Amino acid sequence: MLTKLISISLSAILVENFIFSKFLGICPFLGVSKKMDTALCMGLAVTFVMTLASAVCWGVNLLLVRLELAYMQTLAFILVIASLVQFVELFLRKKSPALYRSLGIYLPLITTNCAVLGVVLLNVQESYGFLESVVYGITGGLGFLLAITLFSGVRERLDYSAEVPECFEGFPIALITAGLIALAFMGFSGLKMV
């Protein structure tokens, strides 16, 4: 069991990273990665939502299957995710108004972040048990956190670089950089465990 959990963890963080391998969750990845502090907070928020969504949706899926309503999975999962995002949004608005404003529109967009929905749908597809689902949710979120913080660090350095040609300044160099980091993450594909 421990080997399987380690395999799930390595896969979610490095080998099948939601950003660099599955290309899920690109909207907040590109939108919030200009500054390290906002990227870190977005990554933590997504990790929190992915973890809780994995746990809660596992139970919801069990209930739907027993009631023979499995065709309602996606709708039920979206409702669970939306509720969790509302909780995070209310918490940040009360505890850190500056962070709430800096995350802007990208915070409520976690609801429609395909990486969050993807993690719960992949849990069902892979027939993971509760512990495996939660581990996949946590490590999928940590993979998202790793990707967004790495990328924001590179973007911050690029803002101060005089080496970037004028035609590539801003968003074009960000896309090129994201592509190069994704290529680097392909090097982890040899770590895939059974």
PDB file of all heavy atoms in Angstrom, residues 144-159:
ATOM      1  N   PHE A 144       0.648  21.273  -8.541  1.00  0.00           N
ATOM      2  CA  PHE A 144       0.193  22.580  -9.028  1.00  0.00           C
ATOM      3  C   PHE A 144       0.978  23.694  -8.336  1.00  0.00           C
ATOM      4  O   PHE A 144       1.438  24.635  -8.981  1.00  0.00           O
ATOM      5  CB  PHE A 144      -1.308  22.745  -8.766  1.00  0.00           C
ATOM      6  CG  PHE A 144      -1.893  24.017  -9.302  1.00  0.00           C
ATOM      7  CD1 PHE A 144      -2.406  24.060 -10.585  1.00  0.00           C
ATOM      8  CD2 PHE A 144      -1.940  25.165  -8.535  1.00  0.00           C
ATOM      9  CE1 PHE A 144      -2.947  25.236 -11.096  1.00  0.00           C
ATOM     10  CE2 PHE A 144      -2.474  26.332  -9.022  1.00  0.00           C
ATOM     11  CZ  PHE A 144      -2.986  26.376 -10.314  1.00  0.00           C
ATOM     12  N   LEU A 145       1.138  23.569  -7.022  1.00  0.00           N
ATOM     13  CA  LEU A 145       1.902  24.553  -6.242  1.00  0.00           C
ATOM     14  C   LEU A 145       3.346  24.636  -6.725  1.00  0.00           C
ATOM     15  O   LEU A 145       3.891  25.731  -6.910  1.00  0.00           O
ATOM     16  CB  LEU A 145       1.850  24.184  -4.759  1.00  0.00           C
ATOM     17  CG  LEU A 145       2.651  25.047  -3.793  1.00  0.00           C
ATOM     18  CD1 LEU A 145       2.098  26.450  -3.736  1.00  0.00           C
ATOM     19  CD2 LEU A 145       2.639  24.420  -2.410  1.00  0.00           C
ATOM     20  N   LEU A 146       3.968  23.500  -6.954  1.00  0.00           N
ATOM     21  CA  LEU A 146       5.339  23.466  -7.463  1.00  0.00           C
ATOM     22  C   LEU A 146       5.424  24.162  -8.815  1.00  0.00           C
ATOM     23  O   LEU A 146       6.308  25.000  -9.040  1.00  0.00           O
ATOM     24  CB  LEU A 146       5.827  22.022  -7.582  1.00  0.00           C
ATOM     25  CG  LEU A 146       7.184  21.807  -8.239  1.00  0.00           C
ATOM     26  CD1 LEU A 146       8.297  22.357  -7.354  1.00  0.00           C
ATOM     27  CD2 LEU A 146       7.414  20.332  -8.534  1.00  0.00           C
ATOM     28  N   ALA A 147       4.505  23.839  -9.694  1.00  0.00           N
ATOM     29  CA  ALA A 147       4.524  24.418 -11.043  1.00  0.00           C
ATOM     30  C   ALA A 147       4.339  25.930 -11.012  1.00  0.00           C
ATOM     31  O   ALA A 147       5.089  26.663 -11.659  1.00  0.00           O
ATOM     32  CB  ALA A 147       3.433  23.767 -11.899  1.00  0.00           C
ATOM     33  N   ILE A 148       3.372  26.407 -10.250  1.00  0.00           N
ATOM     34  CA  ILE A 148       3.075  27.837 -10.263  1.00  0.00           C
ATOM     35  C   ILE A 148       4.166  28.647  -9.555  1.00  0.00           C
ATOM     36  O   ILE A 148       4.498  29.755  -9.980  1.00  0.00           O
ATOM     37  CB  ILE A 148       1.667  28.129  -9.697  1.00  0.00           C
ATOM     38  CG1 ILE A 148       1.184  29.508 -10.157  1.00  0.00           C
ATOM     39  CG2 ILE A 148       1.608  27.991  -8.201  1.00  0.00           C
ATOM     40  CD1 ILE A 148      -0.279  29.772  -9.908  1.00  0.00           C
ATOM     41  N   THR A 149       4.772  28.091  -8.500  1.00  0.00           N
ATOM     42  CA  THR A 149       5.844  28.835  -7.840  1.00  0.00           C
ATOM     43  C   THR A 149       7.131  28.836  -8.668  1.00  0.00           C
ATOM     44  O   THR A 149       7.822  29.852  -8.730  1.00  0.00           O
ATOM     45  CB  THR A 149       6.125  28.302  -6.425  1.00  0.00           C
ATOM     46  OG1 THR A 149       6.357  26.905  -6.474  1.00  0.00           O
ATOM     47  CG2 THR A 149       4.986  28.608  -5.489  1.00  0.00           C
ATOM     48  N   LEU A 150       7.446  27.709  -9.301  1.00  0.00           N
ATOM     49  CA  LEU A 150       8.610  27.691 -10.202  1.00  0.00           C
ATOM     50  C   LEU A 150       8.439  28.726 -11.319  1.00  0.00           C
ATOM     51  O   LEU A 150       9.342  29.497 -11.617  1.00  0.00           O
ATOM     52  CB  LEU A 150       8.782  26.313 -10.838  1.00  0.00           C
ATOM     53  CG  LEU A 150       9.491  25.238 -10.066  1.00  0.00           C
ATOM     54  CD1 LEU A 150       9.406  23.919 -10.813  1.00  0.00           C
ATOM     55  CD2 LEU A 150      10.937  25.611  -9.828  1.00  0.00           C
ATOM     56  N   PHE A 151       7.275  28.695 -11.912  1.00  0.00           N
ATOM     57  CA  PHE A 151       7.005  29.584 -13.032  1.00  0.00           C
ATOM     58  C   PHE A 151       6.998  31.047 -12.602  1.00  0.00           C
ATOM     59  O   PHE A 151       7.502  31.908 -13.319  1.00  0.00           O
ATOM     60  CB  PHE A 151       5.669  29.199 -13.672  1.00  0.00           C
ATOM     61  CG  PHE A 151       5.383  29.891 -14.964  1.00  0.00           C
ATOM     62  CD1 PHE A 151       6.233  29.759 -16.043  1.00  0.00           C
ATOM     63  CD2 PHE A 151       4.248  30.665 -15.109  1.00  0.00           C
ATOM     64  CE1 PHE A 151       5.961  30.380 -17.247  1.00  0.00           C
ATOM     65  CE2 PHE A 151       3.963  31.287 -16.301  1.00  0.00           C
ATOM     66  CZ  PHE A 151       4.815  31.155 -17.369  1.00  0.00           C
ATOM     67  N   SER A 152       6.458  31.345 -11.436  1.00  0.00           N
ATOM     68  CA  SER A 152       6.433  32.740 -10.986  1.00  0.00           C
ATOM     69  C   SER A 152       7.840  33.236 -10.678  1.00  0.00           C
ATOM     70  O   SER A 152       8.160  34.401 -10.931  1.00  0.00           O
ATOM     71  CB  SER A 152       5.534  32.907  -9.767  1.00  0.00           C
ATOM     72  OG  SER A 152       6.078  32.246  -8.646  1.00  0.00           O
ATOM     73  N   GLY A 153       8.698  32.352 -10.151  1.00  0.00           N
ATOM     74  CA  GLY A 153      10.090  32.741  -9.922  1.00  0.00           C
ATOM     75  C   GLY A 153      10.802  33.086 -11.218  1.00  0.00           C
ATOM     76  O   GLY A 153      11.544  34.072 -11.295  1.00  0.00           O
ATOM     77  N   VAL A 154      10.557  32.293 -12.239  1.00  0.00           N
ATOM     78  CA  VAL A 154      11.165  32.573 -13.551  1.00  0.00           C
ATOM     79  C   VAL A 154      10.597  33.860 -14.132  1.00  0.00           C
ATOM     80  O   VAL A 154      11.336  34.688 -14.669  1.00  0.00           O
ATOM     81  CB  VAL A 154      10.941  31.377 -14.512  1.00  0.00           C
ATOM     82  CG1 VAL A 154      11.374  31.724 -15.924  1.00  0.00           C
ATOM     83  CG2 VAL A 154      11.681  30.152 -14.016  1.00  0.00           C
ATOM     84  N   ARG A 155       9.273  34.059 -14.008  1.00  0.00           N
ATOM     85  CA  ARG A 155       8.659  35.276 -14.556  1.00  0.00           C
ATOM     86  C   ARG A 155       9.159  36.529 -13.854  1.00  0.00           C
ATOM     87  O   ARG A 155       9.358  37.556 -14.497  1.00  0.00           O
ATOM     88  CB  ARG A 155       7.138  35.195 -14.464  1.00  0.00           C
ATOM     89  CG  ARG A 155       6.543  34.311 -15.530  1.00  0.00           C
ATOM     90  CD  ARG A 155       5.054  34.340 -15.517  1.00  0.00           C
ATOM     91  NE  ARG A 155       4.547  35.514 -16.220  1.00  0.00           N
ATOM     92  CZ  ARG A 155       3.258  35.738 -16.424  1.00  0.00           C
ATOM     93  NH1 ARG A 155       2.356  34.889 -15.972  1.00  0.00           N
ATOM     94  NH2 ARG A 155       2.870  36.817 -17.065  1.00  0.00           N
ATOM     95  N   GLU A 156       9.362  36.455 -12.537  1.00  0.00           N
ATOM     96  CA  GLU A 156       9.896  37.615 -11.811  1.00  0.00           C
ATOM     97  C   GLU A 156      11.296  37.957 -12.300  1.00  0.00           C
ATOM     98  O   GLU A 156      11.634  39.131 -12.469  1.00  0.00           O
ATOM     99  CB  GLU A 156       9.909  37.350 -10.309  1.00  0.00           C
ATOM    100  CG  GLU A 156       8.571  37.547  -9.649  1.00  0.00           C
ATOM    101  CD  GLU A 156       8.633  37.407  -8.140  1.00  0.00           C
ATOM    102  OE1 GLU A 156       9.681  36.991  -7.588  1.00  0.00           O
ATOM    103  OE2 GLU A 156       7.618  37.704  -7.494  1.00  0.00           O
ATOM    104  N   ARG A 157      12.112  36.947 -12.539  1.00  0.00           N
ATOM    105  CA  ARG A 157      13.474  37.199 -13.040  1.00  0.00           C
ATOM    106  C   ARG A 157      13.447  37.752 -14.453  1.00  0.00           C
ATOM    107  O   ARG A 157      14.264  38.593 -14.821  1.00  0.00           O
ATOM    108  CB  ARG A 157      14.305  35.921 -12.977  1.00  0.00           C
ATOM    109  CG  ARG A 157      14.535  35.524 -11.516  1.00  0.00           C
ATOM    110  CD  ARG A 157      15.615  34.575 -11.347  1.00  0.00           C
ATOM    111  NE  ARG A 157      16.886  35.200 -11.675  1.00  0.00           N
ATOM    112  CZ  ARG A 157      18.014  34.542 -11.713  1.00  0.00           C
ATOM    113  NH1 ARG A 157      18.043  33.271 -11.435  1.00  0.00           N
ATOM    114  NH2 ARG A 157      19.130  35.153 -12.027  1.00  0.00           N
ATOM    115  N   LEU A 158      12.515  37.266 -15.270  1.00  0.00           N
ATOM    116  CA  LEU A 158      12.410  37.757 -16.652  1.00  0.00           C
ATOM    117  C   LEU A 158      11.994  39.223 -16.707  1.00  0.00           C
ATOM    118  O   LEU A 158      12.374  39.946 -17.627  1.00  0.00           O
ATOM    119  CB  LEU A 158      11.410  36.918 -17.451  1.00  0.00           C
ATOM    120  CG  LEU A 158      11.901  35.551 -17.898  1.00  0.00           C
ATOM    121  CD1 LEU A 158      10.754  34.755 -18.517  1.00  0.00           C
ATOM    122  CD2 LEU A 158      13.046  35.677 -18.888  1.00  0.00           C
ATOM    123  N   ASP A 159      11.206  39.674 -15.726  1.00  0.00           N
ATOM    124  CA  ASP A 159      10.792  41.078 -15.692  1.00  0.00           C
ATOM    125  C   ASP A 159      11.984  42.019 -15.533  1.00  0.00           C
ATOM    126  O   ASP A 159      11.949  43.153 -15.992  1.00  0.00           O
ATOM    127  CB  ASP A 159       9.798  41.319 -14.548  1.00  0.00           C
ATOM    128  CG  ASP A 159       8.415  40.820 -14.879  1.00  0.00           C
ATOM    129  OD1 ASP A 159       8.139  40.548 -16.067  1.00  0.00           O
ATOM    130  OD2 ASP A 159       7.595  40.690 -13.942  1.00  0.00           O
TER     131      ASP A 159
END
